[in-house]
Amino acid sequence: HASFNFEVAGTGEWVSFTRTDMLYYPASANSTGDSGIWQLVPVDPGDARKGDWYYLMNEWPGHGASVDSRYGDWVSFTGTTMELYDAHDMDGRAPWKVVPVAGQPGTYHLQNMWRNGTDSRAGMWAGANGTSMILTPDDGKWTQRGTYIFHKATPPKPPRSYGYCVSAAGVPEQ
């Protein structure tokens, strides 16, 4: 599965998070390594009707000697506030329809498809109120749906276990 950074079209901002809150980070976030890294995980590869539906999984590992505690968390929402849900909360992860923007290659909208489209928030779009990511009905009350440019990302590899060591050239790693 491919990994991406999501740039907010027209602003240079990046989709990321603080604690579990989904936010737009300033343009400098990509150069500092603070832009989020996201994997698109197919919802149901066997169902052609859901071919453009994905779960969004956090792949940003953080800094330091261990993987960030939110690595593997899912993009979802509470009410209309977008946030990260625990990696083990398989029922809480929200499916997102990735909708191409006409005439803008690599640019998409993200549409919530929670509960196969039967929930009252189904069909709402990922957007923002200031820098906080929210679900928006695209009715002009809030900042309208977000438009995101997907940039391929190479997620940093999680650190190896403490017992792992690199041997000399030509000697297998241990």
Side-chain angles (χ1 to χ4, degrees), residues 33-112:
D34 289 330
S35 60
I37 301 173
W38 310 99
Q39 183 181 126
L40 278 68
V41 178
V43 168
D44 186 352
D47 186 345
R49 296 169 298 159
K50 297 179 181 177
D52 53 0
W53 291 21
Y54 297 90
Y55 298 114
L56 304 178
M57 186 177 74
N58 172 37
E59 285 197 326
W60 186 81
H63 305 285
S66 63
V67 173
D68 185 86
S69 64
R70 295 156 298 187
Y71 185 89
D73 283 2
W74 303 100
V75 176
S76 196
F77 55 89
T78 298
T80 58
T81 302
M82 291 179 61
E83 55 191 28
L84 291 176
Y85 272 47
D86 187 86
H88 302 289
D89 187 357
M90 302 308 254
D91 293 332
R93 60 189 179 164
W96 299 92
K97 183 175 183 179
V98 177
V99 181
V101 175
Q104 298 181 40
T107 305
Y108 304 89
H109 300 294
L110 298 172
Q111 188 176 30
N112 167 38

